[in-house]
Amino acid sequence: MTAIGIHDLSLATAHHVVDLGDLATAADVDPAKYRVGLGQDRFSLPSADEDIVTMGASAALPILERHGRDGIRTVFFATESGIDQSKSGGMFAHGLLGLDPRARVVEIKQACYGATAALQAAVALVARAPGERALVIASDVARYDLDSPGEPTQGAGAVAMLVTADPALVEIEPVSGLNAADVDDFWRPNDRTTAVVDGGLSMKAYLDALTGAWDDFRARGGAPIDEIDRFCAHQPFTKMARKALARLARHTGADLDDAMQEATFAYNREIGNAYTASIYAGLAALLDGDADLAGRRIGFFSYGSGAIGEFFTGVVRPGYADHLRPGAVAAELEAREPISLADYRALHAAVSPSDEDSETPRVTRAPFRFAGLRGRARQYERTETR
Ligand code: COA
């Protein structure tokens, strides 16, 4: 059977960066609570002229520059921080990226899980028509109320993935374990720009979904635990993935060490929670940070509140390292502009769901920017800096 999976992936994040040490000091909290207790160092914060579309298109652009646009007949845009109730974020991205009009474009939503649904659907479409390619874009801005327990777990980022036959990076294996349960652990009502969350319940729902998905994975013939070499989980904060691996170890009776997933944390510690993109930012960090992956099987656990868990596996392709862009993400992180707490709080408070016409200030240095609303419609443009 032809291998199908991730041929290339690319990460983009936002213009600003907030230091959690500063946030802890201002909140009179021990900084170790954030750095060690949550496993987070900083989070990315979009400027007024950035959003999920600009980050998503910016993540996809280097992939198209490398591999061209031919044969991309599907664009899946996964997000839980959608910018319109009707029009897909993918439609804006499709236009900005100059993709072929002969394409299906759709947005997929189920909290942080949407990108995995998109990836699996893309794999299935390419399996049916191996000459086609699918572009999966996962892009999110995680926003919680100021001064709430969720505040230090905010973040912003996008990962784009090109799904093809005979992929250069990771073959996605066919067996998946699933667990769906209707749980009120996290949601965002239509009139809110921040999530409503029951933090304790969300951690419990995540871990229950993990064991449920694992059991289904094994029942369907998925690889036994001793044939899984690395672990890459959804990271609302990186400590959550440590809890996940510990739970999986208890559940299976296997001795699973955090060394299996340590390399997946590097980018999420910096960008914060990127919701749908988080698990694939973990994969990007693993591919960039672990030199010994060829032929290794990665166990993925994707979770989206509300709640879905999916456990699946991928095998890293021989020669994968030749197809990476070493240093690209590090440069992107380094380029972020630190923002003072006062300015961060003002920017946070200024986000509104209003559809009044407006013009945004020119701030971002990313390839695309959100220019504002005209005739109540969102306007995007290529920036002049690139
Ligand atoms: N040094 C080191 N660690 C410390 C510490 C210190 N001084 N003070 C506290 N900690 C640890 C706690 O022991 C805890 O770790 P543990 O869970 O391994 O025991 C961790 O820091 C968090 O502390 P806690 O008091 O539980 O934090 P909180 O109640 O303020 O909020 C969340 C934590 C996750 C509930 C909150 O950030 C949240 O709601 N996040 C959004 C929802 C989310 O991400 N859910 C995850 C599943 S999708």
Side-chain angles (χ1 to χ4, degrees):
M1 215 167 79
T2 318
I4 298 172
I6 302 167
H7 189 57
D8 197 0
L9 96 174
S10 157
L11 185 150
T13 187
H15 182 77
H16 294 294
V17 58
V18 175
D19 190 277
L20 286 184
D22 297 346
L23 196 69
T25 306
D28 203 16
V29 167
D30 180 353
K33 174 175 176 181
Y34 298 163
R35 295 211 196 287
V36 182
L38 296 176
Q40 293 301 123
D41 295 324
R42 274 165 282 277
F43 65 79
S44 293
L45 178 78
S47 57
D49 59 348
E50 291 178 321
D51 67 8
I52 54 164
V53 170
T54 64
M55 287 191 303
S58 298
L61 186 62
I63 290 182
L64 303 178
E65 285 170 349
R66 274 161 62 112
H67 305 285
R69 290 159 174 78
D70 290 352
I72 298 181
R73 288 178 57 78
T74 299
V75 179
F76 286 132
F77 196 101
T79 187
E80 74 170 86
S81 41
I83 38 85
D84 192 276
Q85 296 284 29
S86 173
K87 185 170 174 180
S88 157
M91 246 7 279
F92 295 105
H94 177 275
L96 285 171
L97 293 165
L99 288 165
D100 194 319
R102 294 162 298 177
R104 62 172 72 81
V105 181
V106 70
E107 187 166 302
I108 293 185
K109 176 174 73 180
Q110 175 38 54
C112 303
Y113 167 73
T116 297
L119 175 63
Q120 294 290 13
V123 167
L125 283 170
V126 174
R128 195 178 66 181
E132 293 186 8
R133 306 187 296 169
L135 182 63
V136 172
I137 299 175
S139 185
D140 267 304
V141 181
R143 284 170 46 81
Y144 297 95
D145 287 341
L146 294 172
D147 306 316
S148 71
E151 185 182 15
T153 68
Q154 296 178 112
V159 173
M161 294 179 276
L162 187 65
V163 174
T164 68
D166 193 20
L169 299 180
V170 181
E171 172 185 0
I172 301 298
E173 295 189 295
V175 180
S176 250
L178 298 166
N179 192 94
D182 186 356
V183 184
D184 289 336
D185 61 329
F186 173 113
W187 66 102
R188 183 166 65 86
N190 287 344
D191 61 347
R192 286 180 62 100
T193 63
T194 53
V196 181
V197 61
D198 178 337
L201 180 60
S202 73
M203 290 192 278
K204 181 181 180 309
Y206 177 118
L207 296 173
D208 289 349
L210 169 63
T211 51
W214 171 259
D215 289 345
D216 185 45
F217 174 78
R218 286 292 293 136
R220 286 168 192 279
I225 195 73
D226 59 358
E227 290 178 18
I228 293 179
D229 306 305
R230 301 288 187 277
F231 184 61
C232 182
H234 171 51
Q235 297 164 15
F237 49 94
T238 64
K239 177 76 162 290
M240 191 68 224
R242 294 189 195 278
K243 289 176 190 287
L245 193 64
R247 171 65 72 89
L248 195 59
R250 273 206 308 282
H251 189 67
T252 58
D255 182 17
L256 305 175
D257 195 85
D258 267 335
M260 284 178 78
Q261 61 170 344
E262 206 62 49
T264 67
F265 298 147
Y267 300 156
N268 285 324
R269 285 191 74 96
E270 282 288 329
I271 66 176
N273 193 355
Y275 288 161
T276 54
S278 151
I279 179 172
Y280 300 103
L283 174 61
L286 178 66
L287 291 169
D288 285 345
D290 183 336
D292 179 30
L293 288 178
R296 304 273 184 209
R297 177 174 285 116
I298 304 170
F300 292 93
F301 176 62
S302 179
Y303 174 75
S305 289
I308 297 267
E310 176 162 350
F311 196 100
F312 63 103
T313 50
V315 176
V316 180
R317 304 279 278 174
Y320 75 99
D322 299 339
H323 301 272
L324 301 174
R325 275 179 293 260
V329 176
E332 171 105 15
L333 296 174
E334 189 59 32
R336 291 175 302 172
E337 199 127 303
I339 187 169
S340 71
L341 280 188
D343 288 348
Y344 146 66
R345 289 178 73 94
L347 206 49
H348 188 286
V351 173
S352 101
S354 164
D355 66 352
E356 298 290 309
D357 281 12
S358 60
E359 216 169 284
T360 55
R362 286 185 181 277
V363 181
T364 185
R365 288 188 294 263
F368 305 102
R369 65 182 294 273
F370 167 54
L373 281 97
R374 222 170 295 141
R376 306 175 84 178
R378 296 178 82 84
Q379 306 295 316
Y380 292 93
E381 59 193 19
R382 186 83 195 232
T383 53
E384 285 141 26
T385 48
R386 293 214 186 166

